[in-house]
Amino acid sequence: MTDDPQEGSLGAAATARRGHSVAVIPGDGIGPEVIAAGREVIDAAAHAAGVGIEWISYDWGSALYRATGRMMPEDGLDLLAEHDAVYFGAVGDPGIPDHITVWGLILPIRKRFDQFVNYRPVRWLPGVPARLAGRLPHEVDMLFVRENVEGEYMDIGERSGHAGDEVVTQTARFTRRGIERVTRYAFERARERRRHLTSVTKSNALKHSMVFWDEVVAEVAGDYPDVGWRPMHVDAAAYEMVMEPGKFDVVVASNLFGDILTDLGAALQGSLGLAASANLTPRPGDPSAFEPVHGSAPNLAGRNVANPAGAIWAGALMLDDLGAPGAARAVMDALERTIAARDVTQDLGGSLSTTQFTNRVIAAMKSPNGDDHDG
Ligand code: NAD
Ligand code: IPM
Ligand code: MN
């Protein structure tokens, strides 16, 4: 027997004694600013709920790449495997090609831990300025379930031919198992919500991958006769998200389509700074990862102006996943009350800095009746 929290075979017991072990990767740009904010809020909620969180911070990202030629150490993924969750900021540096930074850090994490679901709530919170004229917050309440480990995001392709006459291929790969499990997950979530699923496709033009996608989704749908569903081409979905956002409940989409539509979803929410996501693994021993949807936003970095709400919301998703739903609700409640009081950052028309907004959220958590907004 040992008290060493690293002891593998005692992992579960060690967690119960010492709390949850969370790997933090603040990353680049505004990543460290929003992650610091999120940690403070999560700590406050966890403390109040008697939930232990042990943070282990990893200084990985573009600065490390400059120094060593790697975005993370060679054994980085093995180190993450020891944790219960990963809390991630952002990667991306104007001086390094984006495919180097993302394929050096964030995409390998998703793939290594088979985080097949990218769970992205698109919910417009009361108090946020409307981007669509004449709409009400309740009309923007969708849940994106994005396939997260295959599809268009594969390292399969090649470049051939002479300079000036190049030929390039980039191959998408879909598996029956991959489509089936993400679709099943989406139908389960639809059952808990308004019982409607939209499957994003493009089977008119993509006559191999998306025709197969539609077939598998239709098969899985047979197991959910109580949930209504429709296939919808991605172009039409983009149009309808703006014109009739209330028609979407749960949306299942391939990796690339889900990526694009959730930035549109973030616009419907009112700011990329609000959007949160969870990368969920089906493997009990492996960590899921929680992150804001936005990137490193170099235009805002280092100025204490970024909106940390998406990172805070991602923290709530993490607390929920770690088995602390009460603490998760406390975070969301405080976040929503702060925003409803229009105590917000510049992207939402306010004047608060990142740290001021974070302090307001923590204050709101400490006064559950909402009487903390008078100062
Ligand atoms: P971005 O998300 O960084 O920024 C897009 C726009 O949203 C910018 O106008 C930015 O100012 C704004 N914005 C983003 N986060 C905000 C916040 N918290 N508060 C207020 N405004 C916010 O996307 P980009 O400019 O396309 O990419 C910048 C870099 O980030 C690139 O290197 C890209 O590869 C990378 N990226 C990383 C991730 C990730 O790590 N998960 C996600 C997207 C992009
Ligand atoms: C996101 C990001 C990533 C993605 C990039 C950084 C690879 O845009 O999480 O939405 O495309 O998945
Ligand atoms: Mn994206």
Side-chain angles (χ1 to χ4, degrees), residues 110 120 146 153 258-260 262-263 272 293-295:
R110 293 176 184 174
R120 297 189 159 184
R146 167 189 177 193
Y153 282 33
D259 175 50
I260 298 166
T262 51
D263 262 37
L272 249 176
V293 170
H294 63 73

Side-chain angles (χ1 to χ4, degrees), residues 155-179:
D155 185 5
I156 311 174
E158 61 174 13
R159 191 190 283 225
S160 59
H162 302 293
D165 193 25
E166 294 93 338
V167 179
V168 179
T169 59
Q170 170 89 47
T171 301
R173 184 170 67 195
F174 291 83
T175 64
R176 170 177 287 276
R177 173 177 170 269
I179 301 168

Side-chain angles (χ1 to χ4, degrees), residues 180-357:
E180 210 176 290
R181 64 180 179 169
V182 79
T183 302
R184 208 167 278 288
Y185 181 91
F187 269 111
E188 294 290 337
R189 298 294 76 74
R191 246 183 197 164
E192 298 159 357
R193 292 171 47 105
R194 302 194 299 276
R195 291 179 181 261
H196 190 266
L197 180 76
T198 301
S199 166
V200 177
T201 184
K202 188 61 189 172
S203 47
N204 50 0
L206 304 182
K207 60 189 275 196
H208 301 288
S209 59
M210 284 294 142
V211 169
F212 184 62
W213 173 281
D214 289 356
E215 282 170 26
V216 176
V217 172
E219 278 177 38
V220 174
D223 292 340
Y224 297 88
D226 53 322
V227 178
W229 78 284
R230 58 175 177 172
M232 190 171 222
H233 295 308
V234 61
D235 45 353
Y239 181 76
E240 194 171 282
M241 278 176 69
V242 173
M243 300 299 278
E244 295 283 352
K247 289 197 172 162
F248 294 87
D249 179 16
V250 178
V251 184
V252 65
S254 68
N255 216 329
L256 181 62
F257 293 166
D259 175 50
I260 298 166
L261 292 181
T262 51
D263 262 37
L264 175 56
L268 299 182
Q269 284 178 266
S271 170
L272 249 176
L274 287 164
S277 78
N279 304 269
L280 301 173
T281 177
R283 302 184 196 146
D286 274 348
S288 293
F290 302 84
E291 51 171 339
V293 170
H294 63 73
S296 57
N299 55 328
L300 307 180
R303 295 169 43 206
N304 194 25
V305 296
N307 186 350
I312 293 169
W313 192 333
L317 297 177
M318 181 171 81
L319 286 167
D320 210 16
D321 189 69
L322 290 172
R329 267 195 306 278
V331 169
M332 285 312 292
D333 181 63
L335 183 65
E336 291 184 41
R337 280 195 291 117
T338 306
I339 289 171
R342 295 193 164 68
D343 284 342
V344 292
T345 44
Q346 288 170 21
D347 55 315
L348 299 181
S351 59
L352 298 187
S353 67
T354 307
T355 45
Q356 285 170 332
F357 176 79

